[in-house]
Amino acid sequence: MSLDAAGLRLHARLVGKRIEEGKVIPFLGAGANLCDRPVLAEWQPGPYLPSGGELARYLAGEYDYPGDDRGDLVRVAQYVDLVTGGEGALFEELRPLFTGTYEPNRLHRWLASLPARQRAGASPTRYQLIVTTNYDDVLERAFADAGEQVDVVYYSAEADEPGRFIHVSPDGDRRPVPKHNEYRGLDLEQRPVILKIHGAVDRREEADDTYVITEDHYIDYLAHGAVAKLMPAYLMARMRNSHFLFLGYAMRDWNLRVILHYIWSQQARRFGSWAIERDPDPIDEKFWQRHRVEILEARLEDWVDAMSRPRS
């Protein structure tokens, strides 16, 4: 559904209430980083983060990828892994791209503004769980700029012990989540949580960078039982009782589709969900419709502006 200004205002009033009550989980894809970014003829390392396709084409050029599918990040990353004899060179290539000095965009800053808005509301504070497939830490820096503490939980794809999640507390302490159904280190009544389901860059220690990005990584990722079952059960319980809001996310990311299928199958009640896409792909449209996710055709910038206005 294409939204005009009036439609955006109505959506903002209805959905904004649920968001401020902590009952909507944003899912951020690579497209979330394109918010506020000017149109580029060709992306190169510099002041802006790449989309998945841009990163794929960049790596394809750097490593003479021979295929026609140069915009397929998973395929291109697998090729780099194979021709360089392992993931080491690939991870070294990725690190400077994800540790650059990038300015949080208006979407990041709006998400970081939610805790203060929630504390000012009439309802009991129930902070946000934000799920992202992005590896960078721009969202975390937006929270830091806003003076807000946040817990980060990310998937670890380390070769010696894959298939687990790591919890990073606001003081920087890192601890594995050994038994997902017994872990008690998170509390959404106290502060928000960012869940990074494809791994994360670690600015402090390069050896701790972890990415789910190649075909082999994705196979390993899904081979460790249902990845959703490895997440802290506390976070999964929140997902089972929430609306979903997809921002800059495309359904071509099939491994997240597996997780979503699992979550939706566990919901006792179905909660409405929304996907914000300016020009939705026909395949995406069919997937969203099948799962009763309402597509709202709007620019992310316009959507954030509407959500940022006080609800009347």
Side-chain angles (χ1 to χ4, degrees):
M1 177 176 66
S2 181
L3 289 182
D4 57 14
L8 273 174
R9 286 195 297 271
L10 177 60
H11 169 80
R13 283 201 303 273
L14 298 177
V15 178
K17 177 179 184 296
R18 300 295 285 175
I19 289 174
E20 291 181 15
E21 292 172 347
K23 296 177 181 177
V24 177
I25 297 178
F27 277 73
L28 273 61
N33 286 332
L34 304 185
C35 183
D36 288 336
R37 205 186 83 172
V39 177
L40 304 176
E42 180 181 0
W43 179 86
Q44 290 293 328
Y48 302 108
L49 282 159
S51 67
E54 289 169 336
L55 178 56
R57 287 186 286 274
Y58 171 76
L59 292 173
E62 292 292 299
Y63 289 90
D64 297 321
Y65 180 71
D68 295 329
D69 51 349
R70 296 168 71 87
D72 187 331
L73 180 56
V74 176
R75 290 283 292 169
V76 173
Q78 182 67 49
Y79 171 79
V80 175
D81 181 298
L82 291 173
V83 298
T84 60
E87 63 187 22
L90 173 63
F91 281 21
E92 287 181 358
E93 194 78 48
L94 295 173
R95 182 172 176 79
L97 302 181
F98 296 133
T99 56
T101 305
Y102 303 110
E103 185 70 17
N105 61 40
R106 78 181 77 179
L107 173 59
H108 299 130
R109 296 202 184 280
W110 173 75
L111 288 167
S113 75
L114 288 176
R117 296 173 67 168
Q118 290 169 306
R119 287 192 294 270
S123 301
T125 303
R126 173 174 155 149
Y127 291 113
Q128 217 74 43
L129 167 61
I130 302 170
V131 182
T132 178
T133 58
N134 294 327
Y135 312 106
D136 61 81
D137 61 358
V138 179
L139 179 58
E140 292 94 305
R141 291 196 293 112
F143 275 86
D145 289 349
E148 297 288 352
Q149 291 191 333
V150 64
D151 288 292
V152 176
V153 177
Y154 67 89
Y155 179 79
S156 174
E158 295 177 8
D160 59 340
E161 194 174 357
R164 65 174 182 172
F165 282 83
I166 306 295
H167 172 205
V168 184
S169 58
D171 62 6
D173 181 53
R174 281 164 166 71
R175 63 186 83 112
V177 178
K179 294 184 178 180
H180 73 283
N181 58 340
E182 297 179 5
Y183 191 67
R184 299 292 183 268
L186 302 165
D187 187 353
L188 287 162
E189 306 298 322
Q190 297 297 319
R191 53 182 174 260
V193 174
I194 298 173
L195 176 61
K196 309 184 81 164
I197 61 174
H198 285 178
V201 70
D202 187 328
R203 285 183 181 269
R204 301 189 312 176
E205 180 55 61
E206 182 174 358
D208 290 334
D209 290 351
T210 176
Y211 310 110
V212 178
I213 194 168
T214 69
E215 290 177 336
D216 286 344
H217 291 156
Y218 278 91
I219 291 169
D220 289 342
Y221 186 83
L222 296 176
H224 289 93
V227 170
K229 296 179 181 178
L230 299 173
M231 296 178 191
Y234 175 74
L235 300 182
M236 184 54 60
R238 172 64 68 90
M239 291 188 199
R240 284 196 292 266
N241 295 284
S242 297
H243 306 271
F244 296 155
L245 175 64
F246 299 94
L247 302 166
Y249 176 74
M251 271 295 130
R252 287 179 291 276
D253 191 348
W254 52 268
N255 68 305
L256 183 52
R257 285 161 58 182
V258 172
I259 295 173
L260 290 173
H261 276 296
Y262 176 80
I263 296 170
W264 281 326
S265 72
Q266 299 295 305
Q267 287 185 329
R269 298 186 182 92
R270 197 60 180 266
F271 291 84
S273 296
W274 307 272
I276 312 301
E277 292 194 48
R278 183 175 184 179
D279 297 303
D281 182 278
I283 296 177
D284 284 358
E285 287 191 67
K286 290 186 181 298
F287 182 90
W288 294 131
Q289 290 166 1
R290 178 185 300 174
H291 293 281
R292 293 181 289 179
V293 176
E294 184 179 2
I295 303 173
L296 304 175
E297 296 183 42
R299 296 169 65 246
L300 269 180
E301 295 87 348
D302 295 335
W303 182 86
V304 173
D305 287 347
M307 298 302 297
S308 300
R309 297 186 186 101
R311 287 191 295 110
S312 57

